[in-house]
Amino acid sequence: MAISALASVALLGGCSDQKTGTPTPTNAPSSAALPSNGAPAVTNPIANTAKAESDPCSTIPTTEIEAIGGKIKRSGTEQLSMGNACAWVFQESPNTLSGGLTTGNKDGLSSLYAQNATGGLTTFKPVDPIDGYPAVIYANGGEGKGTCTLAVGVRDDLAYTVIPLLSSSHPSYADPCGLATKVAAAAIKNLKGA
């Protein structure tokens, strides 16, 4: 999968109903205070995200990504309507990883909880908090071996999304969500230190 397509999946995950092609308004203004729709509150919000929003590859240095998932061949920033993402391509192809803040979604994890409540997601699984921040594994189609979509609430109105797309040649192929969790933990640690 091309870096651009990977990043699109990462930041748009759940923005349209892939089963019918009907848009789902995930970034529509919220009429209620956040969090809503049963989403957990982010108790220690990270306010300083400007650098990560404009330069998502600065959030996690390549050396940290390599320590987590293996040698990186190249990386680059993708500018998307829902926010910028960093796409990393592993040396061992065709394995990729994408991560970034979904700044175009002003409802954070609440939007995923709302989509789940209306049946708009094919996978929805709240998982243990990552470094104290609420997290959800979700998908709107496209589930399969070697892939996982993980969103972590960094504020009630903002989430960091990670998506590995791995082939059977990658050591984390059997546990892509484990890889996504480690990447998200690195992002949280670095965002908190910003």
Side-chain angles (χ1 to χ4, degrees), residues 30-37 110 156:
S30 197
S31 58
L34 295 176
S36 61
N37 303 298
S110 293
D156 288 339

Side-chain angles (χ1 to χ4, degrees), residues 26-167:
T26 59
N27 59 343
S30 197
S31 58
L34 295 176
S36 61
N37 303 298
V42 177
T43 57
N44 188 18
I46 300 171
N48 187 9
T49 58
K51 182 171 169 120
E53 291 174 28
S54 63
D55 182 10
C57 291
S58 71
T59 305
I60 309 171
T62 298
T63 54
E64 282 188 57
I65 293 294
E66 289 183 334
I68 295 167
K71 185 79 175 146
I72 298 295
K73 184 184 338 183
R74 67 180 182 276
S75 64
T77 298
E78 293 291 328
Q79 296 177 346
L80 305 165
S81 62
M82 291 299 282
N84 294 334
C86 188
W88 295 275
V89 177
F90 290 101
Q91 191 73 41
E92 182 76 29
S93 292
N95 298 293
T96 58
L97 176 68
S98 178
L101 293 165
T102 52
T103 56
N105 168 8
K106 302 301 183 196
D107 289 340
L109 291 183
S110 293
S111 69
L112 295 175
Y113 278 75
Q115 280 185 281
N116 183 57
T118 61
L121 296 175
T122 54
T123 296
F124 182 82
K125 180 182 172 192
V127 294
D128 289 339
I130 297 172
D131 198 19
Y133 291 82
V136 174
I137 292 170
Y138 72 99
N140 188 9
E143 294 94 333
K145 292 182 179 180
T147 188
C148 178
T149 304
L150 174 70
V152 182
V154 296
R155 295 194 304 254
D156 288 339
D157 66 343
L158 185 63
Y160 187 88
T161 303
V162 181
I163 298 180
L165 292 174
L166 308 174
S167 71

